[in-house]
């Protein structure tokens, strides 16, 4: 039979409430009583029941980790980092797949059923009403990988997506490309518009106007299909800035299927630096998001917001960097 709180109380010679307070963060208990309870718990092999504890504290330590990007390999890496970071912070992730969900209120009701303490929205393509509704319901919200623009209600942790677009533009200019294109994700994704605008602004300084195309989703298949079409109706483009690595990998296969070389005939630049981008047969030149820093910052913000629900929303935009590999031609050596 499992060891109970009553068993620990009997072994330690204290009340059940003293045992409960010992295992409740912030509860008042004397050092002497704490030592007796902890010694008894160790002898008996007792672990506190976190679900029972939540009834006392009103906190479940459950954090809803929600996204609709499960088809994108990069987000599998993100979920791995988030679950590890939340568990290290003594929080418990509740992973929620909203890929086929368009009703924010229904999603909110599902989160309420589990009595989550907060929500991390890991998506650039979920409509803003999701975060807004969660926040209005009294749930602390951190939105990651979203807008460059200020968050209205939720905390925001992201790269400066417009800045990433300008970095991509400079990479193209430095390598002598003059006929360039942007192959973005879905038109409705917040990051697509920010990255495109930064790209346009950066190229304008060199008198270049990009060709613009969109993939239907952040997926390999969408990237491949969009590039196959672009190779026909935008055949003069020398290099493409793809708004996501998985789109770029799909585009890469479309270029090769068309019998063209990379970067000789067509250059490709991605964004994210997912693990696959560094594989030998991919070797994608890309813009790296500081994923570990984004995750660590987001977990810290959700803990802070739970502790202080009334604090003002915070906006953290982290820097990104160009990762040189093999899908853009080399930039000239500067004297």
């Amino acid at each position: 039979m499992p060891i109970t709180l009553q068993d620990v109380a009997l072994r330690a010679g204290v009340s059940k409430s003293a045992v409960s307070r010992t295992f409740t963060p912030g509860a008042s208990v004397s050092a002497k009583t704490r030592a007796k309870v902890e010694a008894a718990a160790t002898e008996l092999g007792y672990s506190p029941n976190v679900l029972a504890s939540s009834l006392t504290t009103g906190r479940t330590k459950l954090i809803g980790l929600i996204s609709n990007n499960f088809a994108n390999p990069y987000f599998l890496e993100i979920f791995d980092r988030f679950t590890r970071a939340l568990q290290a912070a003594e929080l418990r992730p509740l992973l929620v797949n909203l890929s086929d969900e368009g009703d924010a209120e229904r999603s909110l009701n599902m989160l309420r059923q589990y009595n989550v303490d907060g929500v991390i929205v890991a998506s650039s393509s979920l409509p803003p009403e999701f975060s807004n509704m969660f926040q209005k319901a009294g749930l602390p919200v951190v939105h990651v990988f979203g807008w460059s623009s200020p968050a209205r209600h939720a905390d925001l942790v992201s790269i400066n997506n417009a800045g990433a677009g300008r970095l991509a533009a400079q990479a193209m200019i430095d390598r002598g490309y003059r006929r360039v294109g942007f192959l973005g994700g879905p038109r409705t994704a917040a990051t697509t518009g920010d990255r495109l605008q930064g790209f346009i602004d950066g190229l304008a300084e060199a008198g270049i106007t990009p060709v613009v195309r969109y993939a239907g989703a952040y997926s390999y298949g969408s990237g491949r299909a969009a590039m196959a079409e672009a190779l026909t109706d935008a055949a003069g483009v020398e290099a493409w800035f793809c708004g996501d690595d998985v789109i770029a990998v799909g585009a890469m296969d479309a270029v090769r299927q068309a019998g063209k070389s990379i970067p000789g005939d067509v250059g490709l630049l991605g964004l994210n630096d997912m693990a696959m981008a560094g594989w030998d047969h991919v070797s994608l030149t890309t813009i790296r998001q500081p994923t570990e820093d984004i995750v660590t910052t987001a977990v810290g913000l959700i803990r802070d917001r739970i502790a202080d629900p009334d604090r003002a929303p915070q906006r953290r935009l982290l820097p990104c960097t160009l990762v040189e590999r093999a899908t853009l031609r080399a930039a000239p050596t500067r004297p």
Side-chain angles (χ1 to χ4, degrees), residues 188-211:
T188 56
T191 52
T192 297
D194 287 339
R195 292 168 187 176
L196 173 58
Q197 191 59 57
F199 193 52
I200 291 172
D201 292 345
L203 292 171
E205 298 173 8
I208 301 171
T209 301
V211 172

Side-chain angles (χ1 to χ4, degrees), residues 46-309:
Y46 170 79
S47 295
N49 186 320
V50 293
L51 294 178
S53 176
S54 70
L55 298 176
T56 302
T57 64
R59 296 293 187 188
T60 63
K61 296 189 177 182
L62 275 174
I63 302 299
L65 177 59
I66 71 174
S67 184
N68 60 348
N69 291 320
F70 281 73
N72 188 333
Y74 179 57
F75 274 82
L76 299 182
E77 298 175 28
I78 289 169
F79 300 147
D80 175 63
R81 291 177 186 268
F82 260 120
T83 53
R84 291 172 185 269
L86 287 166
Q87 288 165 184
E90 298 185 351
L91 299 170
R92 297 193 297 281
L94 175 67
L95 193 60
V96 181
N97 186 343
L98 296 185
S99 295
D100 299 318
E101 183 57 76
D103 187 336
E105 186 170 359
R106 185 163 56 187
S107 301
L108 171 61
N109 289 336
M110 178 176 60
L111 292 169
R112 278 174 163 164
Q113 289 175 4
Y114 289 95
N115 197 27
V116 298
D117 288 344
V119 180
I120 295 174
V121 179
S123 173
S124 64
S125 52
L126 276 174
E129 56 260 30
F130 278 79
S131 289
N132 293 340
M133 182 167 284
F134 299 154
Q135 191 276 337
K136 288 177 182 177
L139 287 175
V141 180
V142 177
H143 196 139
V144 293
F145 307 104
W147 304 274
S148 293
S149 55
R152 291 179 56 199
H153 302 297
D155 291 327
L156 170 68
V157 186
S158 180
I159 60 170
N160 184 326
N161 286 291
R166 289 190 292 271
L167 180 59
Q170 192 60 53
M172 298 293 189
I173 294 167
D174 289 346
R175 288 156 181 76
Y177 292 114
R178 291 297 176 266
R179 298 189 302 276
V180 301
F182 174 80
L183 180 55
R187 291 174 184 264
T188 56
T191 52
T192 297
D194 287 339
R195 292 168 187 176
L196 173 58
Q197 191 59 57
F199 193 52
I200 291 172
D201 292 345
L203 292 171
E205 298 173 8
I208 301 171
T209 301
V211 172
V212 179
R213 295 290 184 273
Y214 297 95
Y218 285 116
S219 69
Y220 167 85
S222 292
R224 181 167 181 165
M227 180 53 69
E229 183 177 333
L231 289 172
T232 299
D233 64 16
V237 173
E238 301 172 285
W240 291 86
F241 169 39
C242 300
D244 179 270
D245 282 352
V246 72
I247 290 175
V249 172
M252 182 182 299
D253 281 355
V255 171
R256 289 171 175 162
Q257 183 66 33
K260 298 182 181 296
S261 66
I262 302 170
D265 296 319
V266 179
L268 294 173
L269 173 64
L271 193 150
N272 282 335
D273 196 28
M274 65 181 186
M276 186 188 301
W279 293 358
D280 289 347
H281 71 285
V282 177
S283 195
L284 177 68
T285 301
T286 188
I287 294 171
R288 174 180 293 155
Q289 296 205 58
T291 309
E292 187 67 36
D293 290 342
I294 289 173
V295 168
T296 300
T297 301
V299 171
L301 286 174
I302 199 69
R303 292 187 70 183
D304 291 347
R305 177 57 73 89
I306 290 169
D308 183 10

